[in-house]
Amino acid sequence: MKILLDECVTKRLKKHLDTFEVFTVRELNLGGTKNGKLMTFCVENNFDILLTIDKNLMYQQSLEKYSVTIVVLNSLTSKIEELLTFLPSFKSQVDMFQKHQAYIIDK
C-alpha cells in the first residue's frame, strides 16, 4: 500500500508506518502544493492513501473525482506523540478503506 503523508503531518510518522510504502510531500518536492493538485498527483502516481490531519480537505474536494483514499487522523496537533496514538486504529482499518472516500480516524 502506497501512502503520501500530507505536509501538515510530521515526517517523523513515516518510520512508524514501515509496513507500508510511505512518502512525504516534502521529499517529493511538493511542499506548498494545493490540495486538488496533490490529490491529482496521488492518482497519477498510484498512491492508495493521502494521510492528513487537515479535517477540511475532505470537504474542499470532490472525492468522486479522485481514485485515492483520504484518511484524516482526528488530531489537534501534528506532534508525533499525539499522532502515534492513532496508528493502532488506522492499521486495524486500513484494509477496509475504499477509493473515492474519506475516513476520520479516532483513537
Side-chain angles (χ1 to χ4, degrees), residues 2-63:
K2 195 171 175 183
I3 299 174
L4 180 62
L5 294 183
D6 196 4
E7 134 174 78
C8 58
V9 176
T10 177
K11 65 182 179 184
R12 295 172 56 202
L13 189 63
K14 179 178 176 174
K15 71 179 180 180
H16 299 281
L17 295 167
D18 58 352
T19 58
F20 304 99
E21 185 180 3
V22 180
F23 298 87
T24 68
V25 164
R26 288 207 172 111
E27 73 185 355
L28 297 175
N29 296 316
L30 296 170
T33 303
K34 300 286 185 197
N35 289 335
K37 289 187 178 186
L38 197 57
M39 291 174 66
T40 298
F41 176 86
C42 286
V43 171
E44 290 172 349
N45 292 277
N46 301 310
F47 280 89
D48 299 295
I49 294 174
L50 174 58
L51 186 61
T52 187
I53 61 171
D54 180 358
K55 294 166 187 70
N56 294 318
L57 176 64
M58 55 199 264
Y59 303 110
Q60 295 169 341
Q61 302 299 319
S62 177
L63 299 179

Side-chain angles (χ1 to χ4, degrees), residues 81-94:
E81 300 81 14
E82 175 73 11
L83 297 182
L84 289 175
T85 64
F86 292 89
L87 289 189
S89 183
F90 169 78
K91 290 178 179 179
S92 72
Q93 297 177 60
V94 73

